Amino acid sequence: MKNEIRNHEYENRINRELAKLGIALELIAHKKLPFYLEAQELAIGEIDADGREYMMTPATAAAWARMKAAALEDDVILEVVSAFRSIDRQIEIIQNKLDRNMPIEKILTLSAPPGYSEHHTGCAIDINTPGCVATEEEFESTAAYHWLQEHAGRFGFTLSYPRDNTLGFIYEPWHWCFQPSTSIKENE
């Protein structure tokens, strides 16, 4: 009962924030966007050279560490450029685009509305590699992307937004989500 009340409050908050941003629930329903709860338990999954901490669920952080180490054994460097994102941070991202007069229809091809971002789960990470501009399509031409295509599934990671995805987001070769039920044991 307690979780049910908390989830209802969460959903009400999301609906209020969407209304403030001018995002109609009908638009979200039309796009068939999945609703995500914020992760309740987070751990540091990576700390970058600037000391920025990237938070993930503990299981995601452990899988990320294993995957990153395996890639390094193949001389492929993987780096996190984004991980857990709070509702408040997602609101900021959308608001910044609105402040630049970007139409909401365009924004929703680039960013998920608050409550509908996989980053809320603590399981989604945006990955890059040295020498590549972060969160750009050029990532698909890197050895890191090709390595991920071949090996990420072993660690439970899947590409969330392939070309022409049904959710209407742009192709994001950098955005991978940990889904432990999809992992393949290394010995298989």
Side-chain angles (χ1 to χ4, degrees), residues 6-184:
R6 187 174 28 172
N7 290 349
H8 184 69
E9 289 170 0
Y10 178 85
E11 194 169 342
N12 285 341
R13 177 182 179 221
I14 296 301
N15 290 342
R16 286 191 306 273
E17 297 298 344
L18 292 171
K20 287 181 200 172
L21 293 167
I23 301 173
L25 291 176
E26 295 79 20
L27 182 57
I28 291 169
H30 175 73
K31 289 176 66 72
K32 298 180 180 154
L33 298 178
F35 187 75
Y36 296 106
L37 297 174
E38 279 186 326
Q40 296 299 303
E41 184 182 0
L42 295 168
I44 297 171
E46 182 158 318
I47 301 174
D48 70 14
D50 296 327
R52 181 173 175 193
E53 296 178 345
Y54 295 94
M55 305 304 287
M56 305 170 194
T57 65
T60 303
W64 165 249
R66 287 191 303 274
M67 185 167 74
K68 183 175 179 168
L72 194 55
E73 287 177 15
D74 291 336
D75 296 319
V76 172
I77 298 172
L78 302 177
E79 302 170 334
V80 173
V81 294
S82 184
F84 170 78
R85 219 179 276 153
S86 69
I87 297 298
D88 291 332
R89 179 66 184 124
Q90 200 69 21
I91 291 166
E92 287 175 15
I93 290 169
I94 300 295
Q95 188 61 58
N96 287 339
K97 290 175 178 162
L98 288 168
D99 291 347
R100 293 193 320 261
N101 296 315
M102 189 179 289
I104 198 66
E105 292 78 12
K106 173 72 172 168
I107 292 171
L108 296 183
T109 67
L110 304 171
S111 300
Y116 297 85
S117 173
E118 275 188 337
H119 286 285
H120 298 329
T121 67
C123 296
I125 56 176
D126 292 342
I127 300 173
N128 201 26
T129 195
C132 185
V133 178
T135 66
E136 292 293 332
E137 194 173 311
E138 70 184 56
F139 181 70
E140 81 170 344
S141 300
T142 66
Y145 175 75
H146 293 290
W147 189 93
L148 287 166
Q149 283 287 94
E150 189 173 335
H151 302 285
R154 284 190 356 226
F155 302 93
F157 287 90
T158 59
L159 180 67
S160 297
Y161 306 116
R163 285 192 196 283
D164 303 317
N165 62 79
T166 59
L167 298 175
F169 291 115
I170 62 166
Y171 170 49
E172 294 190 0
W174 60 84
H175 183 106
W176 295 76
C177 192
F178 178 64
Q179 299 175 1
S181 62
T182 63
S183 67
I184 300 167

